[in-house]
Amino acid sequence: HAKSHEPGTLSYFDAAMHDEAVHHVRLQAEVQAALDEQQFAVHYQPIVDLAAGHVHRFEALVRWAHPTRGLLGPGEFLPLMEETGLVVRLGRWILEDVCRQVAQWREQYDGPVNVSVNISDREFWHAGLVEHVLACLRRHRLDATCLTLEVTEGVIMRRPELAHQLMAQMHEAGLRLHIDDFGAGHSSLQTVHRYPVDALKIDRSFVSEILEGTQSRELVKAIIAMGSALGLEVIAEGIETLGQLAALREVGCASGQGFLFDRAVPGDRAGDLLGRSLVAEAEDAAPRRTST
Ligand code: C2E
Ligand code: MG
Ligand code: MG
Ligand code: MG
């Protein structure tokens, strides 16, 4: 490294590297302790059929009940875990815990249940992901159709050919595959149609602007048209208002999730949502909501 030959900088870089290594070791120990002590928890946000169907799907979203920092959302710890690779260990625990939860729900609920699990870049490319997923399913006597894996286009585009092989393997095993945050990256019809994908999840940024201008609305319409041409389901993320719900239905969006229906809630509370129609409930609640 050319810079480290300049007088006075060597010790600086050494110190910075040392700090980083210490931080990494500390984080690793902290994460391991958190896993051992069950500080992580998976919460579940319902994915709703916008034609007032009944809840049977959820997205798993991880939380960390940190002993000193309180309940942390993934934005506060995942980037660093992704950088250090610790996300692989966490992700494996999440898959196991999701399967445990689904098996438990199935004891009290007869209908189909499916949970979408986010798979980060590191996790996706880590050897043995599919084997781990299938082993978790087996341990809990679940069918592969109980799980959906969410992957972003950015992950796929890192190594398109290999991603295709891995996704084909997952899909052949019976797992469902969704493209997360669709439209936010360098999305194109060309990439998506070649991959074994079941649904596109429209990024929240489009949904939040759908009533504000024609552009987001046209984009959402285009994604839905494209999805239906390819035989893909389209799921809208981040629906917060009845106005957004109405606009999405008007352009033919079949499914969605968002705070309008529910936030991500702990597993036992999510279990209580199974079979309910959250669209009807949101609409029924509307007059009360506006009058108070
Ligand atoms: P994502 O997969 O796109 O998940 C949707 C995010 O939008 C979640 O944030 C969810 O709580 C939030 N959201 C849902 N509906 C609404 C709404 O109506 N309004 C608003 N403002 N937000 C809404 P969260 O839980 O903070 O997760 C953020 C991201 O962290 C996720 O984005 C995903 O990329 C990642 N992530 C979360 N859980 C996991 C996990 O278990 N494993 C991995 N690898 N990544 C995860
Ligand atoms: Mg997601
Ligand atoms: Mg998303
Ligand atoms: Mg997102």
Side-chain angles (χ1 to χ4, degrees), residues 37 39 44 64 75 100 111 130 136 155 165 181 188 205 211 233 263:
E37 290 161 26
Q39 290 170 13
Y44 297 85
W64 184 354
R100 180 196 58 74
V130 186
C136 287
V155 171
Q165 280 177 36
D181 305 339
S188 73
S205 57
L211 295 174
E233 183 191 3
R263 291 177 183 255

Side-chain angles (χ1 to χ4, degrees), residues 5-16:
H5 293 296
E6 286 166 29
T9 53
L10 181 69
S11 57
Y12 169 77
F13 277 99
D14 277 355

Side-chain angles (χ1 to χ4, degrees), residues 84-150:
T84 56
L86 285 165
V87 72
V88 172
R89 216 182 293 172
L90 176 65
R92 296 208 162 189
W93 176 84
I94 289 167
L95 282 159
E96 184 78 49
D97 203 58
V98 164
C99 289
R100 180 196 58 74
Q101 181 63 75
V102 172
Q104 193 181 314
W105 287 335
R106 289 186 62 97
E107 282 173 21
Q108 59 205 48
Y109 180 77
D110 267 345
V113 179
N114 181 281
V115 174
S116 290
V117 178
N118 291 285
I119 303 295
S120 71
D121 198 28
R122 286 278 195 135
E123 293 173 79
F124 184 83
W125 297 112
H126 199 271
L129 171 67
V130 186
E131 289 75 7
H132 177 72
V133 171
L134 299 180
C136 287
L137 288 164
R138 268 197 307 276
R139 267 194 290 281
H140 297 278
R141 299 170 203 285
L142 296 174
D143 201 80
T145 53
C146 288
L147 282 189
T148 299
L149 305 184
E150 291 191 7

Side-chain angles (χ1 to χ4, degrees), residues 11 46 53 71 139 169 194 205 211 218-219 241 273 288:
S11 57
L71 190 69
R139 267 194 290 281
Q169 192 193 349
R194 299 177 41 235
S205 57
L211 295 174
E218 289 309 311
L219 270 163
T241 68
L273 300 176
R288 265 180 288 131

Side-chain angles (χ1 to χ4, degrees), residues 205-218:
S205 57
F206 300 112
V207 175
S208 66
E209 283 167 13
I210 197 164
L211 295 174
E212 277 150 36
T214 51
Q215 210 175 27
S216 286
R217 198 187 153 84
E218 289 309 311

Side-chain angles (χ1 to χ4, degrees), residues 175-186:
L175 298 162
R176 310 220 169 128
L177 296 171
H178 292 179
I179 304 278
D180 205 355
D181 305 339
F182 191 77
H186 327 273

